[in-house]
Every structure is written in C-alpha cells, then in structure tokens.
C-alpha cells in the first residue's frame, strides 16, 4: 500500500505525545480504514488509530494510557475513575480491567455507557492529575475499585499503592472509616485490611485475594527460609500457612514469565531455571515444609484451590464475600 504523507505526520505527532492518532478529514478516515483492513494500522477505540507495530510493542497498561490521553484531549472536562484511574496512577491492575474505560458522571445514565466506556455516578469526587490526565484521587480510586470489583481484582491496587510508596499503610487502611456513608462497609474494610506492600506483583495479590475470598488467607507472605546449600542465600516464599499441628505449608504462585522473561531469568536457559526451581523446592522440603503451587489460570477455579488446600490439612475460615465481575470479559482481556 502506498505511503501516505498526511497519515505519517498524524502518527508521528501522536506517538511523540503518547496518544492515538485521530483523522482530520474524510480522506484521512478512508485511508485509515484501508490500512486497518490491511493490518498495518490498528483501531483500538472508536475514532482512534495507531501503527500496528507501534501499538503491539506497548504493554496493555500503556495502551490504555494512550487511549485515555487521547480521550482527555478530546474531552478536557472528563475525570477518569475506577480501574482506568488506577492504571493512570501507575498501580498494578489486571489486564481484564483494561476495558471499558471508566469516567465520572454527575448522574447515573445507562444510555450514555457503551462497551468501550462506562460512566459512574460519583458526587463531588476529589480529583488530581495523573500523567497529565484528570483522575479521581488515589485513595478515592482505591476505594472505588474495592467497592465495585471482586477482592481478587482490587487487592493488587491496594498492595501496589503501599509498595510503590504512594500511600502509607495506616493511612490507606483508615480511609474507609473516614467516609460517612459507605455501603457494604464491613466487606470494604476487610479488603482494605488485607493490603500488604510486601506483595511483589499483581499476580500474587490476585492470588491472595482469591485465598481470602474462599476462606484460606495465608498466615504470612514473603517469608524467608535459609538456603541449606549456599550461605547468605535465602528462599523467599509467596504464601505461608501454619497447620494446627504446627507444620508448615508453603504456597507458590507460579507464572510462565519467570521461565521466559530475560529480566527474571538472569540470562539462564529455561532448563536452568527449572533445575534451580527444583533444587529450591527440595531445600524447602528438607526444612519440613510442604509445598502447593498455583498458576494464574487456577484463580478462575477457586473451588479447586479450596479443595487442594483442604486436602493439605488446612482449616477453612470465614471468607470475604465476593462481588461478581462487573464487566463482560472479552477473549482479548482474559489474560
């Protein structure tokens, strides 16, 4: 397909400002449509376009930020909220929450919402700028995520807010108590109390959210065990339970990334990473701890996890009631 000077200018300017390109004329729109059909251009949101190679090189959160920056330039009065605001604040957020875009509305209206955009009625929200875009304040954003999302999908935002130093843990946990009118207060306060900045990533937080929901919250996280083979080396485990008889059960949250991501493998081959993981497990078992592993896909089957933990001799506690997932989850967002 022939080069198009005007489109190239649009794309270059958009990329420089970290936004999506918007056609200015009918001719631009037609040229964009032809390139979308050819696969060289992507249409991530109504009326927005990006070069496919450029778009695919962005992670999901930065793709959302591109769309949000573009929408904000089109609608300067919009205030973004919920998971969208959490992404703009730089918090951990499941890829399943990357759409639809969430904005504040002065009153509820289903007619103006769509598959790509949801309007939430929030009266007089405190706002601030995040990455140049108006969003609900950090604590309000965290509260809205907990109030509207299942614990699985809101705990990562709380954990990362503490871990990244955006808010002190006591301040965060006291926030729901400072609000005069809170629906479902007990559940919301329980989720806020779970927040722990030691959680290393969003996947581990999601796992802990599921464990709390099904009544098997870990007794501790990120506990260090000494390595029996190398001095001054420690093995840090994701979750730890102490059974009634005093024995220990370790929970490990495994993802494919730890085996293939160069930033996590330190240049080792997959076989070397697997061998190291096997040696690590033997070392922990020699110290009297049993190990159970979870994978991200297991989190979609909490009953299966509960049965596995029960079979390991753990007693169930009362779980935190879980809200239903609020969005239609497309195949694109299920990861």
């Amino acid at each position: 397909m022939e080069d198009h000077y005007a489109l190239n200018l649009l794309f270059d300017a958009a990329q420089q400002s970290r936004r999506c390109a918007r056609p200015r004329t009918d001719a631009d729109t037609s040229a964009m449509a032809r390139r979308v059909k050819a696969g060289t251009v992507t249409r991530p949101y109504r009326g927005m376009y990006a070069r496919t190679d450029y778009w695919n090189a962005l992670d999901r959160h930065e793709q959302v930020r591109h769309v949000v920056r573009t929408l904000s330039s089109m609608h300067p009065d919009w205030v973004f909220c919920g998971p969208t605001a959490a992404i703009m604040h730089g918090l951990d957020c499941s890829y399943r929450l990357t759409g639809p875009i969430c904005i504040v509305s002065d009153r509820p209206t289903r007619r103006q919402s769509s598959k790509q955009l949801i309007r939430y009625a929030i009266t007089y929200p405190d706002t601030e700028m995040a990455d140049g875009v108006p969003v609900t304040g950090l604590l309000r954003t965290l509260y809205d995520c907990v109030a509207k999302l299942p614990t699985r999908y809101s705990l990562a935002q709380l954990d990362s807010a503490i871990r990244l130093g955006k808010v002190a843990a006591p301040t965060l946990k006291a926030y729901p108590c400072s609000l005069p009118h809170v629906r479902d207060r007990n559940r919301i306060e329980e989720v806020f109390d779970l927040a722990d900045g030691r959680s290393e990533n969003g996947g581990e937080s999601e796992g802990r959210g599921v464990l709390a929901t099904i009544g098997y919250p870990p007794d501790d996280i990120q506990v260090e065990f000494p390595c029996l083979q190398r001095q001054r080396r420690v093995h840090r485990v994701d979750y730890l339970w102490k059974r009634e008889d005093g024995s220990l059960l370790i929970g490990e949250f495994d993802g494919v990334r730890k085996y293939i991501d160069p930033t996590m493998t330190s240049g080792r081959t997959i076989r070397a990473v697997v061998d190291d993981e096997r040696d690590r497990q033997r070392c922990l078992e020699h110290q009297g701890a049993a190990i159970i592993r979870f994978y991200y896909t297991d989190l979609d089957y909490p009953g299966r996890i509960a049965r596995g933990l029960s079979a390991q001799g753990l007693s169930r506690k009362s779980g935190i009631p879980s809200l239903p997932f609020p969005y239609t989850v497309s195949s694109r967002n299920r990861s």
Side-chain angles (χ1 to χ4, degrees):
M1 185 172 292
E2 75 280 1
D3 199 16
H4 196 293
Y5 180 73
L7 292 193
N8 286 338
L9 290 178
L10 287 177
F11 285 129
D12 291 344
Q15 289 174 200
Q16 188 172 6
S17 59
R18 296 181 301 158
R19 297 175 184 169
C20 299
R22 296 177 58 229
R24 297 175 179 174
T25 66
D26 290 343
D28 288 344
T29 301
S30 297
M32 291 284 194
R34 291 195 298 271
R35 282 157 178 76
V36 169
K37 187 174 182 179
T40 59
V41 168
T42 295
R43 180 178 178 266
Y45 194 94
R46 184 177 60 253
M48 300 182 193
Y49 301 87
R51 293 180 175 114
T52 299
D53 291 345
Y54 172 80
W55 187 256
N56 290 342
L58 302 175
D59 66 42
R60 291 278 187 87
H61 287 173
E62 187 54 38
Q63 290 176 351
V64 171
R65 294 186 189 105
H66 272 57
V67 171
V68 169
R69 293 186 197 107
T70 309
L71 287 171
S72 185
S73 69
M74 298 164 58
H75 307 280
D77 58 327
W78 280 9
V79 176
F80 298 86
C81 62
T84 305
I87 292 172
M88 298 309 295
H89 278 293
L91 303 176
D92 285 344
C93 201
S94 170
Y95 284 166
R96 296 182 182 183
L97 303 177
T98 55
I101 301 296
C102 304
I103 65 170
V104 173
S105 174
D106 57 354
R107 55 186 176 179
T109 168
R110 292 186 178 182
R111 182 178 60 83
Q112 295 181 357
S113 293
S114 67
K115 291 182 178 180
Q116 291 188 309
L117 183 74
I118 288 184
R119 298 173 184 265
Y120 284 116
I122 303 176
T123 305
Y124 306 117
D126 60 298
T127 64
E128 60 185 75
M129 301 297 287
D131 203 356
V133 171
V135 298
T136 48
L138 178 67
L139 288 172
R140 177 65 203 223
T141 296
L142 294 170
Y143 168 81
D144 287 339
C145 287
V146 173
K148 297 181 182 300
L149 297 171
T151 304
R152 168 182 177 178
Y153 293 110
S154 61
L155 189 56
Q157 290 91 291
L158 299 175
D159 288 348
S160 60
I162 299 174
R163 184 178 70 248
L164 297 173
K166 294 180 179 291
V167 62
T171 301
L172 183 147
K173 296 186 179 185
Y175 181 72
C177 301
S178 70
L179 301 177
H181 304 293
V182 177
R183 299 175 63 181
D184 204 12
R185 181 182 292 273
N186 289 340
R187 185 193 67 83
I188 290 174
E189 290 183 355
E190 283 186 277
V191 178
F192 268 78
D193 284 340
L194 288 176
D196 195 322
R198 293 177 298 166
S199 189
E200 292 186 330
N201 57 62
E204 289 180 14
S205 297
E206 279 195 52
R208 216 168 82 255
V210 170
L211 293 169
T213 299
I214 63 178
Y216 292 94
D219 297 316
D220 206 350
I221 65 172
Q222 299 301 319
V223 178
E224 293 184 346
F225 286 76
C227 178
L228 303 180
Q229 296 179 331
R230 301 182 189 177
Q231 290 185 349
R232 293 189 295 275
R233 183 181 182 183
V234 295
H235 300 305
R236 189 165 57 245
V237 302
D238 298 330
Y239 314 123
L240 183 68
W241 293 271
K242 189 173 183 179
R243 300 187 183 99
E244 292 182 1
D245 62 4
S247 60
L248 299 178
L249 175 65
I250 291 171
E252 293 281 72
F253 186 86
D254 284 343
V256 175
R257 183 183 171 197
K258 69 188 288 184
Y259 298 100
I260 61 176
D261 189 335
T263 64
M264 301 182 70
T265 62
S266 301
R268 294 170 296 166
T269 64
I270 293 179
R271 179 173 181 176
V273 174
V274 171
D275 288 343
D276 286 349
E277 190 65 26
R278 186 181 297 114
D279 292 341
R280 178 176 180 273
Q281 178 163 332
R282 290 198 190 102
C283 182
L284 292 170
E285 290 173 342
H286 286 159
Q287 297 179 62
I291 297 176
I292 185 170
R293 295 187 177 276
F294 309 103
Y295 297 90
Y296 190 83
T297 53
D298 293 331
L299 303 184
D300 291 330
Y301 306 96
R304 182 188 302 170
I305 295 176
R307 290 190 293 273
L309 292 171
S310 177
Q312 289 287 342
L314 292 184
S315 299
R316 184 181 182 277
K317 304 175 184 178
S318 58
I320 296 178
S322 182
L323 299 173
F325 194 88
Y327 310 133
T328 300
V329 184
S330 69
S331 59
R332 178 178 178 272
N333 288 334
R334 291 192 63 87
S335 64

